Amino acid sequence: MKLKLDITPDLVAAMAAEVKAGERAVTAAMREAGTGLKTAWRGQITGAGLGRRLANSIRSQTYPKAGESLSAAALVWSKAPVIVGAHDTGPLIRSKDGFWLAIPTEAAGRGLRGGRITPGEWERRRGLCLRFVYRRRGPSLLVAEGRLNARGLGVASRSKTGRGRSTVPIFLLVPQVELPKRLDLDRDAEQALGSVPALIVAKWVEGRFGGH
């Protein structure tokens, strides 16, 4: 028995078309999976009450950036990985110097850029000295001898007689704090990864048969 295989131009063209269809399908599937994961992560962050700004730190990119490939991949990441990662893992936070963590109370207000204010910044801005108050039960305190203004912020007292002056807790002092886990990014990542095979098939069918 003699077998002969003729590779005709039509067969070569058909095989090339199938490879091209596969490249389009894989690239489109990875782009959709990456975009979907980005959207899911952003939804988790806003749903946890962490704000739109942090949610918008989630970005995605499909590779290759130009063209199509059977080896296409999608990368989803955060431009604020430390903050997002902390809310995803719920770590135990300790002071860098081994002393106290200063947690601002409502009376402390916010920092100059809207962030968490520090004891040093508070003293400079308010012109008051903070005093350490040790407590055996519950967190120790940094307090100021002043008053609460109409917005509930600790400020210097204007009274020369001391009327209305009080000891205002400005910071709580704790040796460590456990940040609650508020995100589950692995869950959405696993779902996105699991959706890729079906997406590739769907994109291939759509490309070859026009979705019919």
Side-chain angles (χ1 to χ4, degrees), residues 131 133 143-146 165-169:
R131 177 168 57 86
V133 175
V143 303
E145 302 302 326
R165 183 179 299 174
S166 62
T167 300
V168 181

Side-chain angles (χ1 to χ4, degrees), residues 49-126:
L50 299 175
R52 176 60 59 183
R53 184 175 180 180
L54 186 61
N56 287 341
S57 75
I58 303 297
R59 305 297 175 85
S60 66
Q61 177 64 59
T62 304
Y63 296 94
K65 292 184 177 180
E68 297 158 336
S69 172
L70 290 173
S71 301
L75 175 65
V76 183
W77 77 99
S78 170
K79 296 185 71 176
V82 175
I83 299 175
V84 172
H87 289 293
D88 185 42
T89 59
L92 187 66
I93 302 174
R94 295 184 175 90
S95 170
K96 294 180 181 179
D97 302 320
F99 296 108
W100 303 96
L101 287 172
I103 311 299
T105 66
E106 294 286 338
R110 305 292 290 181
L112 286 175
R113 297 183 178 179
R116 177 173 290 181
I117 194 168
T118 64
E121 181 185 351
W122 190 92
E123 288 183 326
R124 290 192 298 271
R125 292 177 60 186
R126 296 289 187 262

Side-chain angles (χ1 to χ4, degrees), residues 100 131-143 173 175:
W100 303 96
R131 177 168 57 86
F132 174 73
V133 175
Y134 174 75
R135 298 196 301 175
R136 293 184 61 185
R137 295 185 178 181
S140 296
L141 306 171
L142 287 178
V143 303
L173 298 177

Side-chain angles (χ1 to χ4, degrees), residues 124-187:
R124 290 192 298 271
R125 292 177 60 186
R126 296 289 187 262
L128 291 172
C129 291
L130 293 166
R131 177 168 57 86
F132 174 73
V133 175
Y134 174 75
R135 298 196 301 175
R136 293 184 61 185
R137 295 185 178 181
S140 296
L141 306 171
L142 287 178
V143 303
E145 302 302 326
R147 64 182 179 88
L148 292 176
N149 65 11
R151 293 188 299 161
L153 301 178
V155 295
S157 174
R158 298 175 182 175
S159 173
K160 295 181 179 180
T161 63
R163 183 180 179 183
R165 183 179 299 174
S166 62
T167 300
V168 181
I170 305 298
F171 290 91
L172 305 177
L173 298 177
V174 295
Q176 62 188 30
V177 62
E178 186 173 2
L179 192 68
K181 179 176 170 62
R182 304 172 73 177
L183 303 173
D184 188 356
L185 303 184
D186 284 345
R187 179 195 65 202

